[in-house]
Amino acid sequence: MKKSIITILTIFCVISSSYTQDILPMGIGPFFNYSIGINANDVPKGRQNGLALNNIPDFGVTYFLPLSQTSNLGLNIDLAYATYSYIQKNYYTGKEWNQHFHYFEINPSFNFSNFLLGFNFDIPLSGDIEGTNIASSELQTLIGIKIGASIPIYESETGHINFIVEGNYSFSGIFKNYAKDDPMRFNAPYESPEMPNNSFNTKPASVGIGFNYIFNLNKPIASQDSNE
C-alpha cells in the first residue's frame, strides 16, 4: 500500500513539474475526492487487514494563500468532512467487516509548484462497523501527514480546476482505549497468550483522487516562462 501511494504520487509530481502556468493568485473554492484505505498497523493473530473504499466521498473547502510573487509557492488550508475506511477480517473464517470513520479535518499544507506536503488534524464525528455505530466518545483526534499533487487541467480569468491525487498516513490510533473498545474483540478475539493492548490501535492510511475549483480572489501574475 505504501509503495503504491509513493509510486502514484511520484508520477503526478513529475507531470506537474513539467507544466508551465501563471503564478497562482489567492483563491478559495470547493473540492471533493474519493479514497481507498487500509489499517497500516499490525493486527493480533487471527486477523487480517484489507482495503476498503470510502462509503461517501470527502468534501470541503480549500483556501490558497500565495507566498511568492516569482514562483508557485503557497499555503493550502483545507476544511473538510473526511472519511477513513478499512477492512478487517477473521483469518480463519474469512468473514470481513467494513469499518468507516468520519472526521472534521483541518489540513494545512505547503504547495510547491503543485506538489503538496502537509499535516492532517482530524476531529472525530462518528464511526461504524458494518452499519453498527461507534460512539465518537470512543475515538480520538488523528494527527497524520498528507502528500500529494495538484494538477491544473483548466484555467480562466475567474479560477482554475485542479485534478488532485493524495496519500494520507496517520501517526495516531483511532481509538482512545483500543484495548477496551476494540470493535473486533467479539468478531476475532485475541488468541492466547496475547492480551488486549493499545499497540494494535488501528492507524488509517489512504490514497485518493478528486478535483477542486479555486475561484481567484485577485489576478494571476504571469510567469517568467510565459513572458519569454
Side-chain angles (χ1 to χ4, degrees), residues 27-213:
I28 191 171
F31 78 87
F32 76 93
N33 64 48
Y34 198 72
S35 300
I36 186 170
I38 195 170
N39 169 35
N41 200 8
D42 293 330
V43 293
K45 184 179 179 181
R47 300 182 192 178
Q48 282 184 315
N49 287 321
L51 292 166
L53 289 169
N54 279 1
N55 54 352
I56 59 173
D58 297 346
F59 58 91
V61 175
T62 296
Y63 171 71
F64 176 76
L65 176 67
L67 300 178
S68 171
Q69 293 187 348
T70 59
S71 63
N72 268 321
L73 171 64
L75 177 67
N76 280 27
I77 300 176
D78 294 342
L79 301 177
Y81 182 90
T83 300
Y84 292 99
S85 304
Y86 53 81
I87 285 174
Q88 288 196 317
K89 63 181 180 180
N90 187 308
Y91 174 81
Y92 301 106
T93 66
K95 181 173 175 55
E96 299 180 344
W97 285 266
N98 282 276
Q99 304 186 40
H100 307 284
F101 300 90
H102 309 287
Y103 299 86
F104 174 68
E105 181 172 276
I106 303 170
N107 168 226
S109 59
F110 286 102
N111 187 323
F112 308 93
S113 296
N114 306 320
F115 174 74
L116 304 174
L117 176 63
F119 291 92
N120 296 333
F121 302 93
D122 296 284
I123 301 169
L125 300 175
S126 64
D128 71 83
I129 172 171
E130 292 295 333
T132 300
N133 291 334
I134 298 173
S136 60
S137 59
E138 298 178 8
L139 311 177
Q140 66 179 348
T141 298
L142 294 180
I143 299 175
I145 190 171
K146 176 181 287 187
I147 57 175
S150 175
I151 316 300
I153 59 175
Y154 173 79
E155 294 183 41
S156 69
E157 293 183 355
T158 58
H160 51 280
I161 299 174
N162 300 307
F163 175 71
I164 307 295
V165 58
E166 61 184 27
N168 297 274
Y169 175 79
S170 178
F171 299 118
S172 54
I174 284 180
F175 293 88
K176 291 180 180 177
N177 187 342
Y178 185 77
K180 172 178 175 290
D181 297 321
D182 170 16
M184 291 287 291
R185 60 190 181 276
F186 302 118
N187 302 319
Y190 283 74
E191 296 183 13
S192 180
E194 287 182 338
M195 297 295 291
N197 68 85
N198 286 310
S199 67
F200 294 115
N201 200 350
T202 49
K203 297 180 179 180
S206 66
V207 62
I209 58 173
F211 299 89
N212 65 22
Y213 184 84

